[in-house]
Amino acid sequence: MSLKKHESALTIEEQVNNLKSLNLIIKDEQLAKDFLNDISYFRFIKAFSIGLKPKNGNYYDNISFKQLEELYLFNAEFRQILFTQIEKVEINLRCRISNYFCLKYGVLGYKYSNNFSNRKYHTAFLNEISIEINRNKRVPFIYNFRNNYIDGDIPLYALVEIISFGTLSKLFKNMHNADKKIIALTYNVSYTYFESWIESISYIRNICAHYGRLYNAKLTKTPKLYQQYTKKHISNIRIFGVLCCIKHLVKNDIHWTNFVKKLEKLFQQYSYVDKNTMGFPADWKDILLI
C-alpha cells in the first residue's frame, strides 16, 4: 500500500474557495474568512463536517458554512458548561479518596504496593506521580514537603491536588475492591459502575480541557450504564450516557438543574444541532432531572 503525500497549505481565500468547490454554501465570504482566520480549517472543517458529507466527497445539498459554524459554537459552549459539572465531581473525588485512604493506610500509604491490587500498575502509578512531583517542584506546598519533611515525601492529601484526573482514576481502579466499595457507596453507587464512570468522566474531562469535540462524537472510554438507561436504548458511546452517570454523582444539586436549563437554551439557540448524534432521546430533560 502506497503512503499518501501531505497536502499543500492553503491561504484563507483558497480554503474558502475549496469549500465552495465541495458544494458548501457560503453566503458571506468575508465572514467565513474571518472565522477561518481565528479557528483552524483542520479543527473546524474536518471535525464538524462529519455526517454532512461522505468521506472525501462533496457536501450534501443545502449544507452551509453557517450550519458548521453553529455546530462549532454549540460544541464550545456545551463543553464549557459541562466542564463546570465535571470539576465538581473531580474535586469531590480527590477529597473522598484521600480522606479514606489516608485514614486507613496512612498519608504515605500510597507508596506501598500491598495496599493495592496489582503491583505492576502500582509501579506505573509511582512513576507517574514522580513525574508530576518533579513538574510541580516549584509549587509552594510541594517545595515545602520536599525540603522540610523526612525523605521529602508528599502526603496523599497533597498529592491528589497535582495529579491528573486520569491518574486519580487509575489510583482508584487499582485499589482493593473492599476499599473501592466503601468509597463508591458514599455516592450510593456500586463500585463496578463507579469505576467505569470516573474513567469515562476523566476521558471527557480531557476532551473539554483540550477544546475537543463532544458533538457527534463516539467515545472510546465508555461508562457502564444502569439498566434503567439501557432499557431506553441509551448508548454509552455517546455523551448523553456520560451525563446520565454524572447526574447520579451531583444528585439534588441546584447547579445540575441549572446546567440542564442552560443546555436546553443552547439547543434552542443553535437550531442546526442534531441531538440524536449525541445520544439524546426525546425525553432527555426528564431523564436528567429525575
Side-chain angles (χ1 to χ4, degrees):
M1 182 180 70
S2 60
L3 298 177
K4 296 180 180 180
K5 292 179 63 177
H6 288 293
E7 298 176 358
S8 300
L10 300 176
T11 66
I12 300 297
E13 185 170 352
E14 288 172 336
Q15 291 174 17
V16 170
N17 288 335
N18 183 61
L19 292 173
K20 290 169 64 179
S21 73
L22 294 175
N23 198 38
L24 185 67
I25 299 171
I26 302 178
K27 292 184 177 180
D28 190 325
E29 291 191 18
Q30 188 56 52
L31 283 177
K33 291 176 184 178
D34 291 343
F35 193 87
L36 290 171
N37 194 47
D38 290 332
I39 311 298
S40 79
Y41 186 98
F42 183 81
R43 169 182 287 275
F44 174 52
I45 297 299
K46 295 297 183 181
F48 294 92
S49 293
I50 295 174
L52 303 180
K53 62 188 286 297
K55 188 176 181 180
N56 300 322
N58 291 344
Y59 285 93
Y60 300 124
D61 290 342
N62 301 315
I63 304 299
S64 67
F65 189 93
K66 176 178 173 56
Q67 183 171 346
L68 270 65
E69 182 182 359
E70 278 205 10
L71 298 182
Y72 179 89
L73 295 175
F74 165 82
N75 184 76
E77 294 192 46
F78 173 49
R79 190 179 60 228
Q80 289 167 10
I81 65 171
L82 177 57
F83 193 85
T84 61
Q85 300 303 313
I86 293 175
E87 178 184 2
K88 287 186 292 184
V89 173
E90 180 178 352
I91 292 174
N92 184 272
L93 184 61
R94 290 176 189 273
C95 174
R96 295 194 188 186
I97 286 179
S98 65
N99 284 352
Y100 172 81
F101 201 91
C102 288
L103 286 172
K104 181 170 183 178
Y105 297 107
V107 298
L108 300 178
Y110 68 88
K111 295 178 62 178
Y112 308 107
S113 61
N114 58 314
N115 294 333
F116 295 89
S117 294
N118 187 295
R119 184 181 297 271
K120 180 180 176 182
Y121 292 157
H122 177 253
T123 299
F125 168 72
L126 291 181
N127 289 335
E128 285 187 29
I129 63 173
S130 177
I131 293 171
E132 287 303 320
I133 290 171
N134 188 60
R135 182 180 296 154
N136 290 275
K137 61 186 176 183
R138 290 186 176 84
V139 173
F141 71 85
I142 296 296
Y143 181 88
N144 177 49
F145 284 119
R146 293 187 76 187
N147 291 278
N148 297 298
Y149 286 77
I150 296 173
D151 297 327
D153 288 323
I154 315 297
L156 183 63
Y157 61 79
L159 185 64
V160 294
E161 298 301 326
I162 64 168
I163 62 176
S164 69
F165 195 2
T167 300
L168 186 73
S169 173
K170 292 175 186 176
L171 168 65
F172 179 84
K173 192 171 185 177
N174 196 30
M175 290 170 64
H176 295 304
N177 287 346
D179 295 326
K180 289 190 284 189
K181 182 178 181 180
I182 292 173
I183 293 173
L185 284 178
T186 67
Y187 295 92
N188 295 314
V189 178
S190 166
Y191 80 86
T192 55
Y193 284 91
F194 187 72
E195 183 175 285
S196 76
W197 290 7
I198 62 172
E199 185 175 22
S200 181
I201 293 169
S202 169
Y203 165 69
I204 297 300
R205 187 253 188 227
N206 287 339
I207 293 177
C208 292
H210 293 91
Y211 323 112
R213 177 172 56 88
L214 296 173
Y215 180 78
N216 195 17
K218 293 182 179 180
L219 310 181
T220 57
K221 297 285 187 180
T222 57
K224 183 178 180 180
L225 297 182
Y226 283 151
Q227 193 175 47
Q228 69 191 78
Y229 301 124
T230 57
K231 279 184 175 180
K232 288 177 170 287
H233 305 291
I234 291 172
S235 171
N236 69 343
I237 68 169
R238 299 291 186 176
I239 188 61
F240 186 76
V242 180
L243 295 185
C244 291
C245 301
I246 294 175
K247 177 191 78 170
H248 289 276
L249 304 181
V250 295
K251 205 166 185 180
N252 301 321
D253 187 334
I254 185 61
H255 299 293
W256 176 255
T257 302
N258 290 337
F259 163 77
V260 174
K261 290 179 180 178
K262 289 178 182 178
L263 183 53
E264 184 178 33
K265 288 183 180 179
L266 286 183
F267 287 142
Q268 294 169 353
Q269 180 180 353
Y270 296 108
S271 58
Y272 286 114
V273 168
D274 182 358
K275 293 189 287 292
N276 292 327
T277 67
M278 297 184 289
F280 281 69
D283 58 344
W284 69 270
K285 188 177 176 182
D286 292 335
I287 292 173
L288 293 183
L289 291 178
I290 291 175

